[in-house]
Amino acid sequence: MANDFVTIMDMKFLNISKNDLFQDIIYPRLHNNEKTYLVTANPEIVMLAKEKRDFRDMVSRADYIVPDGTGIVIASKIIKQPIEERIPGFEIMTELIGYAEENQLSCYFIGAEEQVNRRFITKIKELHPNLLVAGSHHGFFDLNDRHIVDSIKRTEPDLVFVALGAPRQDAWITKYYDELDKGLFMGVGGSFDVIAGNVKRAPEIWIRFNLEWLYRLIKQPFRWKRILKVFEFMIRIVLKKY
């Protein structure tokens, strides 16, 4: 399969359906032990990459960048290069965990507060009792601390989910990526908090109508500065000021 890409503000997005992403890219790479760095990017991530060169350099090392954010899909239509569909990072993570359980693949989970990380692992084991958990660690550590990467080298997990938030999760992945021989590495932001029950994800109806961002703003009004970045992104797209 020839992969199509759409470039938005210098970020190269994979233009593919979620089903094809799994069937044609992720699953084959997992079974062939091909190391993979997957980034899910929304307008905030695009703007952060535009403003911070070091973060832009990190993201540019990703094997694939997928569109996680309604704003990305809308922007693709405005520039007349429509992206097939939004692929939420949360859904990629949860589906991969289910797939890992079914196929005896192991997962390593990094991130969130220590108690949240523990609750997350407990919940994941309830949902997926046969999942192989290679290891886990909370997100409050120095990026130069080699404890986690040494643990990953020993346990050789198939999937590594890093919930440190951008740009920290990408900084950790790119810092140690070349040292590791296998695994799919993916930054998952606040996903552990959602599964642990610390943060509630938007109801399905909000997600269906692409209003998840508004639900998060209502529930977490401190996010307003981040929402402003989304508006700035859209204004730049409309005015073609990339």
Side-chain angles (χ1 to χ4, degrees):
M1 181 191 81
N3 296 323
D4 291 325
F5 296 89
V6 173
T7 300
I8 298 175
M9 279 195 195
D10 299 322
M11 191 168 287
K12 192 176 178 182
F13 286 90
L14 186 62
N15 188 9
I16 196 171
S17 70
K18 184 169 73 170
N19 182 67
D20 287 346
L21 172 67
F22 283 113
Q23 298 297 331
D24 297 336
I25 295 178
I26 294 180
Y27 295 160
R29 290 178 73 92
L30 282 172
H31 289 286
N32 291 329
N33 283 326
E34 291 183 68
K35 194 166 58 167
T36 306
Y37 172 23
L38 179 68
V39 168
T40 62
N42 57 21
E44 294 170 57
I45 297 296
V46 174
M47 291 301 297
L48 187 61
K50 182 175 180 61
E51 294 164 0
K52 296 184 179 294
R53 181 171 181 174
D54 56 345
F55 179 62
R56 183 166 68 248
D57 291 343
M58 293 173 201
V59 174
S60 69
R61 293 180 59 184
D63 294 287
Y64 301 101
I65 302 174
V66 298
D68 178 358
T70 303
I72 299 298
V73 177
I74 293 173
S76 73
K77 293 176 181 176
I78 291 172
I79 66 173
K80 301 190 186 310
Q81 297 180 57
I83 283 175
E84 193 162 342
E85 67 177 279
R86 175 193 173 209
I87 310 177
F90 183 83
E91 294 178 11
I92 294 175
M93 184 189 80
T94 54
E95 290 190 33
L96 281 176
I97 290 172
Y99 184 81
E101 180 185 32
E102 293 171 5
N103 292 272
Q104 290 293 285
L105 302 177
S106 62
C107 298
Y108 203 109
F109 301 101
I110 306 166
E113 295 178 359
E114 187 168 6
Q115 289 185 344
V116 174
N117 187 284
R118 285 200 198 114
R119 287 201 301 270
F120 165 78
I121 295 297
T122 299
K123 185 65 176 178
I124 282 296
K125 287 181 176 177
E126 290 174 1
L127 294 169
H128 304 279
N130 296 316
L131 179 69
L132 300 175
V133 178
S136 65
H137 197 283
H138 64 77
F140 291 81
F141 59 90
D142 190 296
L143 292 183
N144 292 317
D145 185 342
R146 294 193 53 87
H147 172 76
I148 298 173
V149 71
D150 289 341
S151 174
I152 288 173
K153 284 183 177 182
R154 288 193 305 272
T155 56
E156 296 187 324
D158 298 289
L159 300 113
V160 180
F161 298 104
V162 187
L164 303 178
R168 196 163 181 261
Q169 59 197 19
D170 303 279
W172 187 89
I173 292 171
T174 54
K175 183 177 181 65
Y176 297 108
Y177 190 74
D178 291 340
E179 290 187 41
L180 301 165
D181 296 325
K182 61 173 285 190
L184 181 144
F185 295 79
M186 176 182 172
V188 295
S191 296
F192 293 3
D193 291 88
V194 175
I195 291 175
N198 218 40
V199 174
K200 187 178 179 182
R201 197 182 183 206
E204 185 61 36
I205 188 70
W206 291 70
I207 297 171
R208 193 179 309 143
F209 285 97
N210 296 318
L211 292 172
E212 192 171 5
W213 63 273
L214 180 58
Y215 180 87
R216 288 201 303 268
L217 181 59
I218 293 169
K219 292 293 184 180
Q220 300 172 310
F222 61 84
R223 295 174 60 95
W224 67 271
K225 287 185 179 179
R226 298 170 69 177
I227 297 301
L228 284 181
K229 284 296 176 185
V230 176
F231 286 116
E232 181 185 348
F233 168 82
M234 294 308 305
I235 290 168
R236 285 178 175 272
I237 291 294
V238 170
L239 299 180
K240 298 182 179 180
K241 292 190 175 181
Y242 311 149

